[in-house]
Amino acid sequence: MDGPSSPHKPARIIVRSPKLKRRARSVNIADRVTLENVFGITVRNNCGVASHPDTHTIAYPAGCVVVLYDWKRNKQSHITNYSKKTITCLSFSSDGAHIATGESGHLPAVRIWDVEEKSQVIELLGHKFGISCVAFSPTLNYVVSVGVHHDMVVNVWNWRNGSKVASNKVASKVKAISFDEFGGYFVTVGTRHVRFWYLERAKKNKIKGETVPILGRAAILGEQRNNLFVDVACGRGSNANSTFVITNTAMVCEFNTKRLLVKWVELRASSGYCIDVGECYLFCGCSNGVVRVFSPSTLIYVTSLPRPHHLGVNVALSQHAKHHEQVTYPDCIAIHYDERNDKVLCVYNDHSVYLWDIKDIKKIGKVWSALYHSRAVWGIDNYTHDDNPVVPPGTMITCSDDNTIRFW
């Protein structure tokens, strides 16, 4: 006997919630967007420029990006700080394999980057409000970082294992730092401040995780004790026992290893901003586009670098612009001497950059220059070309608060 017939079951309808839909796999922005070129620079002082010791590469910050520019090949590469914090200072290691950066903002980090891979090696946290300068020791054992005036801390890091081996407070705002040629000490300068810091205690500290106070000794400033010292450069080669400091009143002071002020010379400018030294020449960046060159062994004046374009000039015609006594030039706020390639990099306060060839000190020539916007950029667009383009394809157009529209 047949059983009761079962009713026909209707097809099941499944309604999926929009929230349960499978989402597309997220892709890292670095894999979707490639940074090709950066048009601009955010260097504030001499702590923001450096050069590779063995190649033709110069490094400078542009926001949260480190631009590595090879002036020989006219090609950029980039290191991006994905924390999005503005990079304030940087320093190459003596072998050129790594670069250290400091940043601004809350709880900033000292970051060590692999130059070849463009990747972060380690993050060092020990400041609260910002980092004003950072430097590798010549021996590659340590990285020194100095906080901004709200932080006022000097830290010495063993960057390979991430430990802070020495630290101390500073009572003044620090503007710059420089290591001596052999890495035994470093010098910081600032407001009524020239101080020599010695690394003996850091070297003797064998206890992992322990931070010892770093030993610091103030220089004997004499009549210059009330000055604002804005930059420092320790001597090289036969001048390794000298430390050169520039003041905001455009004076260069020389200190010996006993921290005594032994010589000084006036730069005949209204203000001084930056200094760098090699074995043969000492370069001093000043106001109104002035860059003085001295002999580091005698502090005798040698020559002056050519001035850049004057303020208000048509930048498209700057190569042909004539120089007049009545015009004003941008201040040289950062300078770097690449002694290996006989080049001097100058950064001016209108965000322009010049690279000078000093192979023949009596006939200095310009190798390369970049004239970026001097103020905020308000708009950007790509040029859409037709059959008869008036500018090359791919040209980018920008407008700025400096009252210029520029084609790149």
Side-chain angles (χ1 to χ4, degrees):
M1 182 176 177
D2 296 331
S5 60
S6 59
H8 177 70
K9 294 182 179 180
R12 297 177 63 186
I13 301 176
I14 300 175
V15 179
R16 293 183 181 274
S17 169
K19 294 183 179 180
L20 297 179
K21 289 183 179 180
R22 183 176 295 177
R23 296 181 180 179
R25 184 179 178 182
S26 61
V27 181
N28 192 334
I29 189 171
D31 298 328
R32 290 182 284 140
V33 179
T34 302
L35 179 61
E36 294 183 353
N37 281 292
V38 174
F39 300 99
I41 188 169
T42 54
V43 170
R44 302 175 183 176
N45 51 38
N46 226 21
C47 297
V49 291
S51 68
H52 194 285
D54 300 320
T55 66
H56 304 100
T57 301
I58 55 178
Y60 56 86
C64 63
V65 174
V66 176
V67 179
L68 302 172
Y69 177 66
D70 188 326
W71 53 266
K72 192 78 170 180
R73 298 187 299 161
N74 191 26
K75 185 178 180 181
Q76 288 187 6
S77 59
H78 311 91
I79 295 174
T80 303
N81 182 7
Y82 289 105
S83 73
K84 304 304 179 186
K85 293 181 179 178
T86 300
I87 294 172
T88 55
C89 51
L90 52 82
S91 172
F92 267 111
S93 60
S94 58
D95 62 356
H98 297 89
I99 191 168
T101 60
E103 57 194 28
S104 61
H106 181 62
L107 297 179
V110 176
R111 303 180 191 274
I112 311 299
W113 306 85
D114 186 291
V115 174
E116 185 69 26
E117 300 294 331
K118 310 293 187 298
S119 60
Q120 181 175 301
V121 176
I122 196 168
E123 177 187 68
L124 307 172
L125 295 172
H127 296 277
K128 294 181 179 179
F129 305 108
I131 301 168
S132 61
C133 38
V134 65
F136 269 101
S137 67
T139 60
L140 297 178
N141 293 327
Y142 305 107
V143 167
V144 175
S145 60
V146 183
V148 296
H149 58 284
H150 296 296
D151 196 288
M152 290 189 173
V153 174
V154 177
N155 290 329
V156 180
W157 305 90
N158 182 333
W159 63 274
R160 299 183 190 278
N161 60 23
S163 63
K164 183 166 60 175
V165 296
S167 182
N168 212 330
K169 286 279 188 178
V170 289
S172 303
K173 180 180 179 180
V174 174
K175 302 283 288 185
I177 182 175
S178 179
F179 262 98
D180 87 299
E181 188 173 22
F182 307 106
Y185 64 89
F186 61 92
V187 184
T188 57
V189 297
T191 306
R192 297 186 295 273
H193 170 95
V194 178
R195 199 169 189 88
F196 289 66
W197 303 87
Y198 301 93
L199 296 175
E200 286 88 350
R201 295 193 66 182
K203 293 177 181 178
K204 294 177 181 179
N205 182 21
K206 303 297 182 182
I207 303 176
K208 187 176 180 179
E210 181 183 358
T211 302
V212 299
I214 184 172
L215 178 65
R217 291 285 184 264
I220 302 172
L221 304 177
E223 297 178 357
Q224 309 301 328
R225 60 184 176 275
N226 292 321
N227 256 318
L228 169 58
F229 301 93
V230 293
D231 200 11
V232 57
C234 292
R236 297 291 181 260
S238 58
N239 305 299
N241 292 329
S242 297
T243 299
F244 303 94
V245 178
I246 187 171
T247 71
N248 70 327
T249 54
M251 180 180 294
V252 173
C253 302
E254 179 184 350
F255 295 86
N256 60 18
T257 53
K258 296 181 180 180
R259 313 188 312 280
L260 296 175
L261 176 60
V262 294
K263 270 184 240 178
W264 64 88
V265 62
E266 295 183 353
L267 299 175
R268 295 186 180 180
S270 58
S271 299
Y273 292 100
C274 51
I275 191 170
D276 202 8
V277 65
E279 193 165 355
C280 299
Y281 300 113
L282 173 71
F283 296 88
C284 307
C286 306
S287 57
N288 205 28
V290 173
V291 178
R292 306 290 191 205
V293 185
F294 293 86
S295 167
S297 57
T298 61
L299 286 188
I300 293 177
Y301 173 76
V302 177
T303 188
S304 294
L305 264 60
R307 292 190 184 187
H309 61 282
H310 62 80
L311 296 176
V313 70
N314 184 346
V315 294
L317 305 175
S318 61
Q319 293 181 350
H320 311 287
K322 295 182 178 179
H323 295 256
H324 305 282
E325 292 296 330
Q326 294 79 12
V327 298
T328 303
Y329 297 90
D331 302 333
C332 180
I333 59 171
I335 192 166
H336 183 77
Y337 177 30
D338 182 359
E339 192 168 18
R340 175 180 172 272
N341 296 304
D342 293 318
K343 300 294 185 292
V344 176
L345 178 73
C346 296
V347 181
Y348 300 89
N349 67 344
D350 67 340
H351 291 203
S352 61
V353 187
Y354 280 71
L355 185 67
W356 303 102
D357 184 357
I358 62 158
K359 190 171 184 178
D360 184 353
I361 198 66
K362 296 182 180 179
K363 191 179 180 181
I364 299 172
K366 186 181 76 172
V367 178
W368 164 80
S369 65
L371 308 180
Y372 300 123
H373 283 298
S374 60
R375 301 184 69 176
V377 176
W378 293 120
I380 183 171
D381 201 356
N382 287 324
Y383 172 73
T384 305
H385 62 86
D386 50 19
D387 295 335
N388 298 310
V390 295
V391 295
T395 297
M396 184 174 63
I397 308 170
T398 57
C399 63
S400 169
D401 196 27
D402 61 9
N403 296 323
T404 64
I405 296 175
R406 305 192 187 190
F407 293 73
W408 307 90

